[in-house]
């Protein structure tokens, strides 16, 4: 396919991560270094929502080096260490091309106005759906534009790719924090149970990272419960009771998304009929539900800790592997588009070598959008209360390496676009 | 006073911090470098609880350099970056010397058995009470021993000292995390309120640290509520509503210990009559209470984040100033004891200079134990919903500088004693 000359636009969509701006930095680098194939790289504010309002900025100008030659690398590296979507994000599901051609005609008119020939969208499942639909529409349009999806999600639940940018850093934060929590909870010589609730509604990848301190630092958490297995409260209490017979401080990692056999979320189940002073249902969460169960059935000291949004935005402790790969995947997206690819997502394939490495590959996005990749059976132990060595081996290289974070007066420096 | 020769013992007590082992490292360094005045330095397991059971270890041996000359500095620096009390901790209140002389006779017999002439106790308020009582008893005993209290608490609420070891690192973690949370919450273009609940039952020092990103990174949180001011729910809702008229993402920092005018905790108040399936009262916490209030009175997207124990054990992001001072205060404690001081706590006095610096001073512990130092009036704004520049100026130097954390395979290395 020949060289398609024109401008490009990039957007970020879905939940924030600590690596999504490293990917954006990669796209910026790829576009500025495209030997003129890409003229200007625009950024959409708040994803397609901003695009529809023509709320866009010129990233090529913002990241041009002061002397006009090449890239402002200092600014780019600050962007890479800034958490959450620097362009802003959205959660917008596009209409089906067959149902609402007017929507797409409107989009195309904006693309034409800015001569946009490359469309890069960084995000998770829903964002890939956006790319898939836009590609689908373009098939029947005479407007030539190449659309590439660039993966991003801490949840690591996209198919086609070995892992997703953002997962490694979130996993590193979780592993480091669980290690610290285990230390914290072990100081007193009294029986105590600590429940750590970790993100992951359908896939337990992040929760599995709680196994890392046990492997490499001899600081194991005692049980790990993933949404891939039915949660049984009696078995949980039995697990914890058994552990308390051998040690004082028992630490449990649990995915927010674990469910009972009837399909009800564990967090949801415990709140039936419970309301606050305003009559609201208490959404106490999974950790709180297990905390209450331990209080009731065992009666020892118990606490729950919800890692909450910190696990997706903790840019002060990121995986160097993750951030480097995130930028590489961003550059890769531009490179694939320049080579003529469209309707693809940039996937990272783990190479079969003794040392960890990946190679990038563009895979058809239609097969990826809206599918969820769960933790496979071989990664979960038979009792369903921990992960296997194979699982830990899979995660370990993804958290490797530390980033050299730049600080000012005690705080990491972030950039505002 | 002459040189008192004999052995020493050190203990850690109260809640964990990320700096308490740096202080322990300082005591170890001071003792090993005491030119023989201190023979062996023992460590009590779980504070005085372990001491009473003679559950002690020989720290001089553990930290002797392999060649027998001096200190194993590598091991010492790993100790300093390990969170939570490496010796274990306890929460034990000693009896009054006048009420239970048998208790103290028992203690003295243990001191005699190990020829312990120096007693170092690292902790907060309650731990200083232990040192005060022991000192009091020793006045009427013929056993010569010097007792020195070494401050530690993330709460920063000890009197006599400008600040406490552990506070600077916790404040840095809180400031960095609040900065990340503000980034995270600002990505969507929809009205949203985020409540960050921060530790501090009686003193709002830690919550005040949420003001730092506003000063140095142009990432301000919108309101800060401390326990030093009566909390008024109507005023809070009015504050938040006003802010939402000007911006999408409103972020609020609140101390867990804020109370209503009637003295009831805000967290407690919202739970009246609310029980879970087991009939337990829901201890939803302050953040949850404010989240529910916003849901009810404003109705926009709202979330609460409880920083929980992470704020006291996050040794992966510590303040270099805090860790260096913590070690210095540990060494200072040994030095003061060798000079003849007893019944004192090592205090850090901020020197009146253009550049921040401290000098150490031993102050009588009886006046310090059991007193709480709150955030002064001049540090809180008139509306009671933010802190003043003077407050930020006070905290800033305490979070300055980063530590060179040693990692193995992606995780910080901790040491187990």
């Amino acid at each position: 396919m020949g060289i398609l000359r024109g401008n490009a636009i990039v957007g970020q969509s879905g939940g924030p991560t600590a690596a999504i701006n490293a990917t954006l930095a990669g796209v910026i680098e790829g576009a500025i270094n495209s030997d003129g194939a890409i003229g200007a790289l625009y950024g959409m504010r708040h994803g397609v929502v901003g695009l529809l309002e023509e709320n866009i900025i010129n990233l090529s100008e913002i990241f041009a080096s002061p002397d006009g030659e090449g890239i402002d690398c200092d600014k780019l590296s600050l962007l890479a260490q800034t958490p959450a979507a620097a362009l802003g994000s959205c959660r917008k599901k596009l209409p089906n091309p067959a149902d609402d051609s007017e929507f797409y005609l409107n989009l195309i008119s904006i693309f034409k106005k800015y001569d946009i020939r490359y469309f890069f969208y960084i995000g998770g499942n829903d964002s890939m759906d956006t790319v898939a639909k836009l590609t689908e529409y373009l098939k029947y349009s005479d407007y030539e534009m190449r659309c590439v999806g660039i993966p991003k999600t801490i949840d690591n639940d996209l198919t086609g790719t070995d892992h997703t940018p953002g997962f490694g850093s979130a996993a590193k934060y979780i592993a480091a924090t669980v290690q610290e929590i285990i230390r914290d909870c072990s100081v007193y010589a009294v029986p105590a149970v600590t429940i750590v609730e970790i993100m992951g509604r359908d896939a337990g990848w992040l929760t599995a990272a709680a196994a890392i301190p046990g492997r490499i630092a001899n600081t194991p958490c005692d049980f790990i419960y993933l949404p891939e297995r039915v949660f049984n409260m009696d078995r949980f209490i039995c697990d914890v009771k058994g552990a308390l017979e051998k040690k004082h401080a028992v630490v449990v990692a649990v995915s927010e998304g674990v469910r009972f056999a009837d399909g009800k979320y564990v967090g949801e189940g415990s709140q039936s009929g419970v309301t606050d002073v305003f009559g609201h249902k208490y959404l106490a969460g999974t950790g709180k539900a297990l905390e209450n169960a331990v209080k009731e059935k065992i009666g020892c000291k118990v606490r729950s800790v919800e890692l909450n949004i910190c696990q997706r935005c903790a840019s002060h402790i990121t995986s160097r592997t993750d951030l480097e790969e995130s930028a590489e995947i961003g550059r890769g997206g531009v490179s694939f588009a320049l080579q003529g690819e469209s309707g693809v997502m940039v996937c990272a394939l783990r190479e079969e070598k003794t040392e960890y490495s990946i190679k990038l590959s563009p895979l058809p996005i239609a097969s990826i959008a809206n599918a969820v990749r769960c933790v496979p059976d071989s990664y979960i132990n038979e009792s369903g209360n921990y992960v296997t060595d194979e699982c830990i081996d899979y995660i370990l290289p993804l958290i490797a390496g530390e980033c050299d974070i730049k600080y000012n007066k005690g705080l990491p420096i972030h950039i505002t676009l």
Side-chain angles (χ1 to χ4, degrees), chain A residues 175 178-179 182 208-222 224 378-379 386-397 399:
Chain A
V178 165
Q179 186 186 7
I182 293 169
I212 306 284
R215 163 75 73 87
I216 66 181
N218 204 18
T219 316
C221 79
D222 298 284
I224 296 177
S378 64
Y379 282 17
Y386 210 77
V387 296
T388 61
D389 280 343
E390 197 183 340
C391 179
I392 301 174
D393 289 337
Y394 163 82
I395 300 173
L396 264 181
I399 70 160

Side-chain angles (χ1 to χ4, degrees), chain A residues 250-286:
Chain A
V250 171
V251 177
V252 172
V254 64
S255 288
E256 57 175 347
V258 291
R259 302 174 189 226
F260 294 118
D262 63 5
K264 260 196 181 164
Y265 286 111
V266 171
E268 185 186 16
S270 75
Q271 299 140 19
S272 53
V274 178
T275 53
D276 66 10
V277 281
F278 302 119
H280 290 130
K281 259 180 111 178
Y282 252 104
L283 293 174
T286 307

Side-chain angles (χ1 to χ4, degrees), chain A residues 127-257:
Chain A
S127 315
M128 295 310 124
D129 180 70
T130 296
V131 179
K133 282 177 176 155
L134 187 54
T135 310
E136 180 64 20
Y137 181 84
L138 286 167
K139 272 191 206 162
Y140 307 100
S141 155
D142 59 358
Y143 188 73
E144 194 183 351
M145 185 172 80
R146 296 178 190 162
C147 303
V148 171
I150 307 178
K152 169 277 343 170
T153 169
I154 61 165
D155 291 328
N156 202 37
D157 59 354
L158 292 181
T159 59
T161 186
D162 176 76
H163 56 276
T164 56
F167 171 67
S169 292
K172 187 185 187 95
Y173 172 81
I174 289 163
T177 301
V178 165
Q179 186 186 7
E180 290 166 349
I181 288 174
I182 293 169
R183 287 267 162 192
D184 185 285
C185 298
S186 309
V187 298
Y188 298 114
V190 293
V193 177
T194 304
I195 321 277
V196 186
E197 180 185 327
I198 298 170
M199 280 180 167
R201 211 122 253 262
D202 300 307
W205 294 107
L206 288 170
T207 308
I212 306 284
R215 163 75 73 87
I216 66 181
N218 204 18
T219 316
C221 79
D222 298 284
F223 302 105
I224 296 177
Y225 302 98
L226 309 186
E228 282 82 357
R229 288 288 176 271
V230 166
F231 189 86
N232 181 306
M233 194 61 95
D234 292 336
R235 222 157 48 211
F236 162 72
I237 292 296
C238 185
D239 282 347
V240 172
K241 269 188 181 159
L244 282 170
E245 280 168 18
K246 291 175 222 142
K247 62 195 298 201
H248 285 305
V250 171
V251 177
V252 172
V254 64
S255 288
E256 57 175 347

